[in-house]
Amino acid sequence: MANPAVGDPGLWRKSRSPGRGDITQYSFNNGQLDLMHTQQRWQHEHFFARTWLFVGPWFMGVESFLALSASLVTPHKPGIFSDSSLFHPNVFESAIVDYLNSYFGHVKTGGRPHFRGPMNWRILDISDTIKAALMDIHVIGNTSKENPKLNRLVFFPISDRKLVCLFFDFGGTPIYKAGRVNPAPMLELADKIIASFRLEVGPKTLADWNAVKAICPDMSITPEFGELK
């Protein structure tokens, strides 16, 4: 199932497809584009969604799914990260931390954190210049720290002020102990999708990236990132 669209993933009727156009040239605001507490700091413009269904044997039907959604993410208020470029690796990493804290940090279950992350942080060579950061978020609730459910996020900057966020949802399937659903095929599919990503950097974006490189010769992103408290 696929639905390329610009808009709120919960309000497809008001969505518009960008096709192969420039997603940064679309503007979508219906007054309800909020994701938890992120509306205070980050604005999302959802532009793609696709779901792969995993079915059981003997006409059991859909047992789980892998969903991928993509959003253009920009600071909600002009003052956030306004004095520097998201191409700068330190700024990029700080923006990711701010986003994760805004999106996941406030959620509690029984007075305890509902999520853990970033886990399994790694850098993706999606282009010769701009790199992406991949991380897992473990959904632990009250009791599933040893066998969490999984969300996987990929971030990369596309301008001084804009990030793309790719969000993988594994359908609420525990990832370490196979129960009713074996997570291995979903994890394998996600790995293949991520390995296929390639970012083509245009002349203007490359010029902006090079302007940052002129003052920050080392544009590498940190290869290790610990779990946030």
Side-chain angles (χ1 to χ4, degrees), residues 139-217:
V139 185
I140 59 174
N142 268 333
T143 60
S144 57
K145 188 173 183 179
E146 290 74 25
N147 192 29
K149 299 169 185 177
L150 177 65
N151 292 322
R152 179 165 292 166
L153 284 73
V154 177
F155 291 94
F156 55 89
I158 61 170
S159 78
D160 290 327
R161 297 282 291 163
K162 298 179 185 293
L163 298 170
V164 166
C165 174
L166 308 176
F167 191 104
F168 289 85
D169 182 349
F170 290 80
T173 301
I175 59 174
Y176 292 140
K177 299 177 183 176
R180 182 176 179 132
V181 177
N182 181 0
M186 287 184 283
L187 293 166
E188 180 182 3
L189 176 58
D191 287 341
K192 288 181 177 179
I193 293 169
I194 292 168
S196 74
F197 290 155
R198 181 70 181 174
L199 181 66
E200 297 181 7
V201 180
K204 182 182 183 304
T205 304
L206 181 59
D208 292 342
W209 186 88
N210 281 327
V212 176
K213 184 175 174 60
I215 60 173
C216 177

Side-chain angles (χ1 to χ4, degrees), residues 49-52 54 65-69 152 167-171:
R50 182 167 181 177
T51 302
W52 293 264
F54 289 80
F65 63 86
L66 172 66
L68 166 62
S69 61
R152 179 165 292 166
F167 191 104
F168 289 85
D169 182 349
F170 290 80

Side-chain angles (χ1 to χ4, degrees), residues 76-125:
H76 185 71
K77 296 180 180 180
I80 302 176
F81 298 103
S82 61
D83 57 347
S84 51
S85 171
L86 290 172
F87 288 133
H88 193 292
N90 292 347
V91 179
F92 176 57
E93 294 161 18
S94 297
I96 290 174
V97 170
D98 190 287
Y99 181 92
L100 295 179
N101 185 56
S102 299
Y103 199 130
F104 299 105
H106 68 287
V107 185
K108 304 288 184 182
T109 299
R112 298 180 179 180
H114 188 75
F115 299 98
R116 295 180 66 194
M119 316 290 283
N120 305 318
W121 171 282
R122 58 191 173 98
I123 307 306
L124 305 178
D125 291 326

Side-chain angles (χ1 to χ4, degrees), residues 30-46:
N30 60 15
Q32 302 181 55
L33 195 55
D34 296 339
L35 292 176
M36 298 183 182
H37 287 191
T38 52
Q39 69 268 26
Q40 300 298 324
R41 300 188 64 78
W42 297 96
Q43 175 179 313
H44 298 76
E45 292 184 83
H46 193 79

